[in-house]
Amino acid sequence: MREDVQSLDIRDVTANWVNAQILERQIGDRIKALADLSHTPLFFGRLDYLHAPGADRAEGAEGERFYIGRRHVHDQDGDPMVIDWRAPVSQPFYRASKKDPMDVGLRRRFGYTGGDLTAYEDEHLSDPAEAATTSKLLQREIERPRVGPMRDIVATIQPEQDEIVRSGLSGSVCVQGGPGTGKTAVGLHRVAYLLYAHRERLARTGTLVIGPNRSFLHYIEQVLPALGELAVRQATVDDLVAQVEVRGTDEAPAAVVKGDARMAEVLRRALYSHVTLPTEPVVVVRGSRRWRVPAYELEGLVRELLARDIRYGAARDALPQRVAHAVLVQMERAGEAPDDRVQDAVARNSAVKAAVKAVWPPVDPAKLVLRLLTDPEFLAEHAEGILTGDEQKTILWARPVRSVKSARWSAADAVLIDEATDLVERTHSLGHVVLDEAQDLSPMQYRAVGRRCSTGSATVLGDLAQGTTPWATRSWQEALAHLGKADAVIEELTAGFRVPTDVITYASRLLPHIAPGLTPVASVRENPGFFEVRAVSEDADVISACEELLDNEGSTGLIAADARVPVLAGALTAAGIAFLAPGEETTRETRLTLVPASLAKGLEYDYVVLDEPSAVVDAEPDERTGLRRLYVALTRAVSGLVVTHATGLPPQLT
């Protein structure tokens, strides 16, 4: 298939060089999408239907066989050899069971190693004499060691995951899932499915995956290209709102207030305070005639635009045309016959432009936010009844700032500027947005994301127990309301496929303290995993634990409180152990990653050494946030975890 695309001759089919360039780029993308994957075969499953799908199930009707794979594959004649996992005919591979065989006589799973088929396993779903069993190949694939970036899970999608993946484009979905339940993979595969089912629509409107940080995005960036989807943009929330350079940081109390949804109303008040009702008429001179629009009529036009609640910039653009229309009405009464060109000319008249500038002046969003943060009187005027006096003092800058460029903006300030920008001019909406690790967003960040899918849909992924910011969301209903998707369906994944039983059981001791009422994850893995809590006396003992785990196949992560990372980096270097930073790709030669606890979220390793749990907790501004950070760190292991501690463990774990 790739060779067929490479052999295309477009010299005689393009009208000009522009079309030729566009077509060449499309052909290049198609060639990339058809690239071979060295670690996986073309297909991973087979379905033998008792009857041909869609055919009359009369007595004696012949069945049909389909091979299921990551991509659609056809032969030289165009006949399908492998069916895309997203096609309707592939659905029973994930959903069929002994209770509901979905007209499938046989489901075959293929095992493979390094791209070579090495085993197969059959289930005769319609045979009542065969008992239901747990798939060994499925367990082996789930527990396969993690080396390199995140990979797709098309061979192991479970029925409850498949329901979310194949849900429609028109509705938004929120997935609450504990560690190892596959929520990130479900979100990415949902994007792939939607692009398959609604390709033309999403090609026009666009798709976006939002992650918590660059390390996380680097970890997941190969999943969609491996499924042939190259056009999905990936970004962080900070990327979306990057209208100013972020060089400063906020103390937690200031960040909490700036991230509060009430700031949206403060910004709206501050922006529209620039509008003043006219007190003078507008006089337009055209030739020998003077046309006068009285102040009361101008005031009526301004009040009408304010009442319509349209964007500040759109209303400002509309006001000259409204004034010009009022002049044209007078011209028509005087017996003239003006047309649209005359109206446009009047709207561009210097007197009209001057009046509009005085009544509805242009406002720079960054300057507006800067004034709110540096002018106590301006902030007090527009935050009255919204923010308390103490809250206003919390967000005010201590030192005056000369200009927008010289200001040391924080990440929360950038979100405020994005909100103000949207009040002036509507933000472009995409067709679908996936928001991962959503529990850590502030209400104002939710609003920023919601603007990017105001006319589209969203897939929201997260775990309330892993909220590690002071402004972490309390409930998904509240978060979805800020996102503008209050009607989204909330699904919960509770079956754990990644974290071993002993590890998730130990980590779940923290749940009553960090997320009361949340259902603990139940590991479905047959392998209980390796788990040990080890008292140590010096850093060398921590390094020894890493060396022990590196004797196993797969990746190893050393997770520690951020302040401990430089010390452990020095100890690893002294011991001659090469290590990577989060986001750098694991290789066969270098399989150890040193991970600050603040960046561990969303990452996974076959084996983990967790250094000094109490230090992880103490590094956060409050105990609940610290315990949530510890919960995240405890649940990054796929096969084994060693917890090392020189001081006492947090009492919630003992």
Side-chain angles (χ1 to χ4, degrees):
M1 289 170 66
R2 188 171 62 253
E3 288 171 355
D4 286 344
V5 179
Q6 289 171 331
S7 65
L8 290 174
D9 185 355
I10 64 171
R11 286 176 296 180
D12 298 326
V13 298
T14 54
N16 52 56
W17 69 272
V18 175
N19 290 347
Q21 291 285 323
I22 294 172
L23 190 55
E24 283 182 10
R25 188 184 68 182
Q26 291 174 338
I27 289 174
D29 288 344
R30 177 64 174 161
I31 292 170
K32 288 180 184 177
L34 290 171
D36 287 323
L37 298 178
S38 59
H39 62 277
T40 182
L42 285 176
F43 56 89
F44 52 81
R46 190 183 104 188
L47 288 177
D48 289 5
Y49 277 86
L50 297 177
H51 309 88
D56 183 14
R57 298 186 181 185
E59 191 75 28
E62 291 188 10
E64 197 166 353
R65 173 177 298 173
F66 299 95
Y67 286 87
I68 313 300
R70 286 162 178 77
R71 304 296 311 280
H72 167 83
V73 182
H74 60 248
D75 61 17
Q76 297 180 55
D77 299 322
D79 295 326
M81 298 174 66
V82 179
I83 304 299
D84 194 301
W85 66 277
R86 298 167 287 188
V89 76
S90 303
Q91 188 173 358
F93 185 80
Y94 304 108
R95 302 269 189 101
S97 64
K98 295 291 290 186
K99 290 183 179 179
D100 181 15
M102 300 177 71
D103 199 45
V104 173
L106 179 142
R107 173 169 57 199
R108 173 170 291 180
R109 299 182 191 273
F110 293 95
Y112 50 90
T113 304
D116 295 327
L117 291 174
T118 54
Y120 68 88
E121 185 180 76
D122 288 347
E123 298 171 85
H124 297 86
L125 297 175
S126 299
D127 184 356
E130 183 178 291
T133 58
T134 302
S135 169
K136 299 294 184 184
L137 288 180
L138 187 62
Q139 283 287 336
R140 190 186 308 166
E141 173 62 17
I142 289 172
E143 298 176 10
R144 188 151 56 100
R146 265 67 171 165
V147 177
M150 183 180 182
R151 56 177 180 260
D152 66 75
I153 61 163
V154 290
T156 62
I157 293 174
Q158 299 300 291
E160 64 272 20
Q161 295 174 325
D162 190 64
E163 288 184 17
I164 298 171
V165 167
R166 296 178 192 266
S167 54
L169 176 61
S170 58
S172 294
V173 179
C174 175
V175 182
Q176 158 64 40
T181 55
K183 57 185 177 296
T184 296
V186 166
L188 294 174
H189 288 67
R190 175 160 159 74
V191 172
Y193 171 78
L194 291 176
L195 286 168
Y196 175 88
H198 308 277
R199 188 166 302 280
E200 289 187 7
R201 178 176 170 184
L202 289 177
R204 295 192 306 270
T205 56
T207 51
L208 172 67
V209 173
I210 303 174
N213 52 55
R214 282 277 145 208
S215 298
F216 178 83
L217 291 178
H218 182 72
Y219 178 62
I220 68 169
E221 66 183 357
Q222 295 304 318
V223 175
L224 289 169
L227 299 174
E229 303 299 346
L230 306 174
V232 180
R233 181 186 166 205
Q234 297 182 358
T236 65
V237 174
D238 290 344
D239 294 333
L240 299 182
V241 300
Q243 299 181 45
V244 292
E245 183 182 359
V246 174
R247 297 183 295 151
T249 56
D250 285 315
E251 295 292 333
V256 169
V257 177
K258 290 179 181 179
D260 195 296
R262 293 175 296 164
M263 287 300 299
E265 177 60 19
V266 175
L267 288 167
R268 194 195 67 79
R269 285 186 185 181
L271 175 62
Y272 281 92
S273 70
H274 292 79
V275 179
T276 57
L277 296 177
T279 57
E280 298 291 333
V282 173
V283 179
V284 177
V285 179
R286 282 185 60 81
S288 61
R289 299 296 299 270
R290 293 163 60 89
W291 307 98
R292 183 176 181 276
V293 181
Y296 74 85
E297 190 171 351
L298 290 175
E299 180 181 336
L301 296 176
V302 171
R303 289 188 182 278
E304 181 188 350
L305 288 171
L306 287 172
R308 290 187 60 192
D309 196 30
I310 59 177
R311 294 298 193 275
Y312 184 93
R316 186 176 185 277
D317 292 339
L319 185 55
Q321 291 290 337
R322 298 295 180 90
V323 176
H325 178 73
V327 172
L328 258 66
V329 170
Q330 294 184 28
M331 290 181 176
E332 290 170 348
R333 287 173 181 168
E336 297 188 17
D339 56 17
D340 290 344
R341 289 174 298 176
V342 174
Q343 180 168 333
D344 290 339
V346 173
R348 294 193 301 269
N349 182 274
S350 58
V352 174
K353 291 166 68 175
V356 169
K357 185 175 182 180
V359 171
W360 209 298
V363 177
D364 179 81
K367 290 181 179 178
L368 177 70
V369 174
L370 184 63
R371 187 179 176 190
L372 278 171
L373 297 177
T374 57
D375 186 338
E377 293 182 0
F378 188 67
L379 176 61
E381 178 184 355
H382 302 297
E384 183 180 0
I386 300 176
L387 302 180
T388 66
D390 288 341
E391 287 174 327
Q392 294 175 36
K393 291 177 183 177
T394 299
I395 64 174
L396 278 169
W397 291 358
R399 298 178 182 177
V401 178
R402 288 182 298 177
S403 68
V404 168
K405 287 188 177 180
S406 64
R408 293 183 61 82
W409 298 105
S410 69
D413 297 333
V415 178
L416 294 179
I417 294 172
D418 188 72
E419 177 83 27
T421 302
D422 183 71
L423 288 170
V424 174
E425 184 177 353
R426 183 181 296 277
T427 303
H428 173 69
S429 175
L430 299 167
H432 192 77
V433 169
V434 174
L435 176 60
D436 205 352
E437 299 296 348
Q439 71 281 344
D440 275 338
L441 269 60
S442 70
M444 290 298 284
Q445 287 176 315
Y446 279 119
R447 290 174 62 89
V449 174
R451 288 191 284 277
R452 271 74 186 180
C453 56
S454 58
T455 60
S457 56
T459 300
V460 181
L461 313 165
D463 179 12
L464 295 177
Q466 296 186 59
T468 52
T469 56
W471 49 84
T473 189
R474 300 180 188 86
S475 72
W476 289 123
Q477 289 84 356
E478 179 183 326
L480 292 168
H482 292 310
L483 192 70
K485 305 295 180 187
D487 58 346
V489 176
I490 300 176
E491 303 281 1
E492 187 171 8
L493 296 176
T494 58
F497 304 99
R498 177 173 56 79
V499 185
T501 302
D502 290 352
V503 175
I504 196 63
T505 301
Y506 184 71
S508 294
R509 295 181 183 184
L510 298 175
L511 284 180
H513 308 280
I514 60 177
L518 208 61
T519 305
V521 172
S523 178
V524 298
R525 297 180 56 165
E526 293 184 348
N527 181 359
F530 172 75
F531 173 66
E532 181 183 348
V533 179
R534 185 182 300 180
V536 299
S537 57
E538 55 186 7
D539 294 338
D541 296 330
V542 179
I543 306 307
S544 296
C546 293
E547 291 177 314
E548 291 174 27
L549 295 183
L550 285 169
D551 288 337
N552 299 298
E553 182 185 2
S555 58
T556 298
L558 171 55
I559 302 177
D562 291 28
R564 288 271 296 155
V565 168
V567 176
L568 293 174
L572 288 169
T573 302
I577 300 176
F579 61 93
L580 304 166
E584 295 180 342
E585 190 169 326
T586 306
T587 65
R588 296 288 176 185
E589 295 74 28
T590 307
R591 296 180 290 113
L592 176 66
T593 304
L594 178 57
V595 187
S598 62
L599 296 181
K601 189 172 297 179
L603 306 179
E604 60 181 29
Y605 303 92
D606 286 291
Y607 295 89
V608 167
V609 175
L610 174 57
D611 169 74
E612 213 60 72
S614 292
V616 174
V617 176
D618 294 341
E620 299 300 327
D622 59 84
E623 185 180 68
R624 190 186 75 159
T625 303
L627 291 173
R628 286 182 168 186
R629 183 77 70 189
L630 177 58
Y631 181 74
V632 171
L634 284 168
T635 53
R636 299 304 96 198
V638 174
S639 298
L641 170 68
V642 176
V643 178
T644 61
H645 64 102
T647 60
L649 290 169
Q652 294 84 356
L653 281 178
T654 57

